[in-house]
Amino acid sequence: MEKGRLFMLDNTVRKGDRIKLIAIQGEENTKKEASYYSRVIEIMDSNRIKVAMPIVNGKYVVLDSLKQYKMEFITRKGIFACEARIIRRFKEKLNFFVVFELMSELEKLQRREYYRLECVFDIRFRRSMDGNIMQKDEDDDDNAVEQREDEQVEGQEPKLVYKKRKVPWHAAIVTNISGGGVRFNSREALNKGEKVLLKMHLKFDDDEGDYEIPARVIHSAEVPNRPDIFEARVQFTDISTQDREDIIRFVFDEERRIRRRKKGLV
């Protein structure tokens, strides 16, 4: 490694971020083996990082220190990748850890794969078949759509007057969320390809906010044994970079809260 070379660990990767570890073998480092997931325990300096030894089916996976690894950091700012090698493996109390030395600079991956979190919270959505989903609430008319004959003027044909149509919000419960989309249950049978507008209130560790995000339905079906409930998977469309990063931040904040609740710390 080039001496004095700096990486973006300090302002990109944080303690607790998930990591995907992929062992690389072969002369050209093109053949990849099985991948494992772990977490960042400590950022030791600009190019060394302490990681928890991966666990699969309740057992530690002892990583081969002679192999080179591709590391993918799943962070609030996106997914970053680099190559690394193991410089130390050790046991601390009852846990096993690995220290990696980064062998290349972090590179942001431009792809449509995001870490998905199983969680539950309420949202609302509008359907494009009900009208203009982007219509502001304050511009809505409380009356349903109707047509009527206006007061007739003698000698003129009667004309039809259209009242504004209120676009309803439908209730739903999210069961899965990522930076790319959500899965939710509702009483609405959505159509594949249909456009919807999602309204979400997200709580972060140190803040909260309201979001309205356009999305497209990629799957919809009845929930087994629940003929009145439908599951839909939607993909975000026309989402700003900031909103996507906020959703990724929510995913990791919520995951930490879930872990703390399981440990009885909340």
Side-chain angles (χ1 to χ4, degrees):
M1 175 174 290
E2 182 180 337
K3 186 176 181 180
R5 196 173 186 180
L6 298 179
F7 298 86
M8 298 187 299
L9 282 175
D10 291 343
N11 56 14
T12 303
V13 179
R14 303 187 347 159
K15 178 181 177 181
D17 284 347
R18 286 174 62 87
I19 306 173
K20 183 177 181 180
L21 298 168
I22 306 169
I24 303 174
Q25 67 175 12
E27 292 183 0
E28 298 181 356
N29 288 343
T30 56
K31 185 176 180 181
K32 297 180 181 179
E33 296 185 334
S35 60
Y36 305 100
Y37 285 90
S38 184
R39 294 189 181 278
V40 175
I41 302 300
E42 179 185 355
I43 298 173
M44 305 176 72
D45 55 36
S46 62
N47 66 338
R48 291 186 305 147
I49 192 166
K50 179 181 176 181
V51 173
M53 190 75 78
I55 297 177
V56 176
N57 297 326
K59 296 182 179 180
Y60 282 105
V61 176
V62 181
L63 299 177
D64 189 341
S65 60
L66 299 179
K67 292 181 179 179
Q68 190 167 316
Y69 292 82
K70 179 181 178 182
M71 304 182 76
E72 294 184 0
F73 298 91
I74 305 167
T75 77
R76 295 180 175 189
K77 297 181 179 181
I79 300 177
F80 294 80
C82 70
E83 292 185 1
R85 66 185 181 94
I86 294 175
I87 59 175
R88 186 186 176 198
R89 298 179 304 185
F90 63 99
K91 182 178 181 181
E92 197 172 84
K93 295 183 179 179
L94 298 178
N95 300 309
F96 291 87
F97 300 95
V98 184
V99 176
F100 281 94
E101 181 181 42
L102 278 61
M103 306 300 294
S104 66
E105 293 192 32
L106 291 176
E107 177 184 359
K108 188 169 186 179
L109 300 184
Q110 302 296 331
R111 65 184 190 185
R112 296 182 178 180
E113 296 178 22
Y114 299 93
Y115 172 61
R116 306 192 69 85
L117 176 68
E118 301 290 331
C119 62
V120 178
F121 63 95
D122 296 330
I123 63 168
R124 294 193 295 163
F125 68 93
R126 278 174 164 170
R127 303 184 64 176
S128 55
M129 64 176 293
D130 291 332
N132 179 10
I133 59 174
M134 302 305 293
Q135 181 177 311
K136 298 295 184 182
D137 285 343
E138 56 267 28
D139 295 332
D140 287 343
D141 191 300
D142 289 336
N143 298 315
V145 175
E146 68 176 49
Q147 296 179 346
R148 64 178 176 81
E149 290 188 358
D150 198 13
E151 295 182 0
Q152 297 185 28
V153 178
E154 188 174 351
Q156 294 183 4
E157 290 290 329
K159 60 181 179 180
L160 293 177
V161 175
Y162 295 83
K163 284 191 175 182
K164 278 188 177 179
R165 180 179 192 172
K166 181 174 181 179
V167 185
W169 288 101
H170 304 282
I173 298 176
V174 168
T175 58
N176 179 300
I177 185 170
S178 77
V182 297
R183 182 180 69 200
F184 60 79
N185 294 341
S186 76
R187 295 186 181 276
E188 295 290 311
L190 303 180
N191 302 310
K192 184 177 181 180
E194 181 179 350
K195 294 180 180 179
V196 295
L197 179 67
L198 308 176
K199 178 178 282 191
M200 301 184 289
H201 182 79
L202 303 181
K203 294 184 178 181
F204 309 102
D205 285 347
D206 54 2
D207 196 7
E208 58 186 87
D210 294 303
Y211 298 82
E212 290 189 3
I213 300 175
R216 178 175 58 86
V217 179
I218 58 177
H219 176 78
S220 180
E222 280 189 355
V223 174
N225 303 318
R226 293 291 304 275
D228 58 334
I229 302 296
F230 299 87
E231 178 186 274
R233 288 188 286 117
V234 304
Q235 185 179 63
F236 300 141
T237 60
D238 300 321
I239 182 174
S240 70
T241 300
Q242 184 60 58
D243 283 353
R244 194 186 300 277
E245 289 182 354
D246 285 351
I247 291 173
I248 293 172
R249 178 160 65 101
F250 165 77
V251 167
F252 287 98
D253 285 354
E254 181 66 14
E255 185 185 38
R256 281 190 287 269
R257 287 192 289 266
I258 291 173
R259 290 204 310 269
R260 290 198 294 266
R261 286 196 291 268
K262 287 181 178 179
K263 293 179 180 179
L265 301 177
V266 177

